[in-house]
Amino acid sequence: MDKRKRILLVHYSQTGQLSRIARTLAAPLEEDTDLELVELELEPERAFPFPWGVFQFMDAFPECVWRDPPPLREARIEALSQEPFDLVILCYQVWFLSPSLPVTAFVQSSAGRRLLADTPVVTVIGCRNMWTQAHAAMEEMLAEAGARLTDNVVLTDPGGFETFYTTPRWLLTGRQGRAGIPESEIQGSVRFGHALRAALKADRERQGGPLLAGLGAVRVDPALALSEGIGIRSFRLWGRLIRLAGPMGSRRRRPLLALYMVFLVVMILTIVPVVAILKRLARPLLKPRLNRLRARFEAPSGSGQERLAEYGHD
């Protein structure tokens, strides 16, 4: 009988960047003959395009924020769910402050829930720079599936305000330019794989605590987290309105989507800079709340770096 521990690596990526992160991180597990790494690349029944069309891109947002994904091709997920795994590494993008639709579909599916139930899960996020609301949604879905979230790793685009332009340009034209996660960060994610390998060999995944503490897994900008809380409420309000016009793909949505795009551009060019200035001025008054947000979203893995030398990353 094969006594090797089994790890399931789940991912979905349109640009390919997140899949590269997933495979880089998991490389030490794949190379270890005492472990069995199984890769599951999610496939929607109807593929999402890359590059996106403008209306196709915006048309996905109501279902993202209301967690109502289109179906996946589930035959392989169903087959994999027949045997348990010792660890699941779940990698996902952030779409409209929410987990991407294919990953939401996996976590909500009956076969996905069987794979996740009573299993430690490490989530890995690759995104622009706003991810806390997506993480909160993922925590909730994993809890509903009966999974145990042990760690969260976040890799982000280091660009600032320019990402409001560079990221959409990449998604809508395919021209990456300066958008995306730096290559050094992608290659550096291998340290998490080395730490997971050591933890699995010591049975630490069964003990309940984080496996990736001290490796700089996540760093929170609490001011951005505060903005996300406002943003997700706006997304849900507009998303509910647009869904009333028809299902995803319906032409009846287009006038509302066009109106929402104008609203977003105006917000980004006017309200967002003003709010950023006001938050900076009010930071001393907001400090207790910002500290609470930092503590909340840096859990469970944390931003500490005391173990970096142990895994050869400086």
Side-chain angles (χ1 to χ4, degrees):
M1 179 180 288
D2 192 346
K3 296 291 186 181
R4 295 185 299 169
K5 287 190 175 180
R6 304 179 75 227
I7 303 100
L8 179 64
L9 176 68
V10 183
H11 61 94
Y12 170 81
S13 177
Q14 286 173 290
T15 67
Q17 181 173 252
L18 186 71
S19 293
R20 287 187 58 234
I21 292 168
R23 290 166 181 148
T24 300
L25 184 151
L29 305 173
E30 185 176 28
E31 294 163 0
D32 195 311
T33 56
D34 292 332
L35 303 171
E36 179 187 0
L37 180 72
V38 177
E39 183 177 344
L40 173 61
E41 187 168 3
L42 301 175
E43 295 182 71
E45 283 189 2
R46 184 176 179 179
F48 291 99
F50 180 76
W52 290 85
V54 174
F55 277 103
Q56 289 171 313
F57 175 67
M58 294 305 300
D59 196 34
F61 116 76
E63 280 66 30
C64 275
V65 298
W66 286 102
R67 303 184 209 169
D68 184 17
L72 296 174
R73 295 178 181 172
E74 289 196 37
R76 185 150 186 264
I77 303 173
E78 186 67 42
L80 288 172
S81 71
Q82 304 308 307
E83 293 186 46
F85 284 84
D86 297 281
L87 181 72
V88 174
I89 304 172
L90 180 60
C91 307
Y92 66 96
Q93 301 165 306
V94 176
W95 293 3
F96 302 101
L97 306 182
S98 308
S100 69
L101 285 173
V103 173
T104 295
F106 168 75
V107 177
Q108 291 184 343
S109 69
S110 56
R113 287 185 174 216
R114 285 197 298 274
L115 282 165
L116 294 166
D118 301 316
T119 305
V121 175
V122 173
T123 52
V124 179
I125 301 172
C127 68
R128 185 176 70 89
N129 63 2
M130 301 179 83
W131 55 269
T132 57
Q133 289 297 315
H135 176 60
M138 181 58 71
E139 283 182 314
E140 186 176 315
M141 290 191 291
L142 290 174
E144 290 170 355
R148 178 166 56 85
L149 180 64
T150 67
D151 290 275
N152 183 42
V153 173
V154 182
L155 280 71
T156 62
D157 186 328
F161 192 79
E162 67 177 327
T163 61
F164 281 109
Y165 164 71
T166 58
T167 300
R169 184 186 64 181
W170 185 18
L171 297 177
L172 299 175
T173 70
R175 299 197 302 272
Q176 182 174 359
R178 291 186 295 178
I181 296 159
E183 184 63 26
S184 60
E185 287 296 308
I186 295 174
Q187 294 304 316
S189 68
V190 73
R191 68 189 185 275
F192 302 114
H194 287 300
L196 289 175
R197 179 175 63 185
L200 286 162
K201 292 198 168 188
D203 294 329
R204 291 203 299 274
E205 79 283 1
R206 302 174 183 173
Q207 297 171 14
L211 309 177
L212 302 177
L215 295 175
V218 54
R219 180 169 294 173
V220 173
D221 181 337
L224 278 180
L226 195 63
S227 296
E228 283 193 60
I230 299 168
I232 197 68
R233 288 192 287 273
S234 171
F235 278 179
R236 286 175 183 152
L237 178 63
W238 278 89
R240 177 178 291 166
L241 179 63
I242 292 167
R243 280 159 63 92
L244 291 174
M248 186 185 294
S250 170
R251 286 189 172 272
R252 295 193 302 274
R253 284 187 174 198
R254 289 206 167 194
L256 282 172
L257 289 171
L259 178 62
Y260 184 63
M261 282 188 276
V262 172
F263 170 79
L264 265 186
V265 171
V266 171
M267 286 282 291
I268 290 168
L269 294 178
T270 60
I271 305 300
V272 170
V274 171
V275 170
I277 293 169
L278 291 175
K279 282 191 299 186
R280 184 176 294 274
L281 294 173
R283 200 174 187 96
L285 298 176
L286 293 172
K287 188 173 182 180
R289 185 176 180 188
L290 296 176
N291 287 340
R292 288 194 298 272
L293 284 171
R294 179 181 284 111
R296 156 78 175 88
F297 288 111
E298 285 191 353
S301 305
S303 59
Q305 300 183 5
E306 63 272 16
R307 295 172 66 207
L308 285 182
E310 184 178 353
Y311 291 99
H313 182 76
D314 48 39

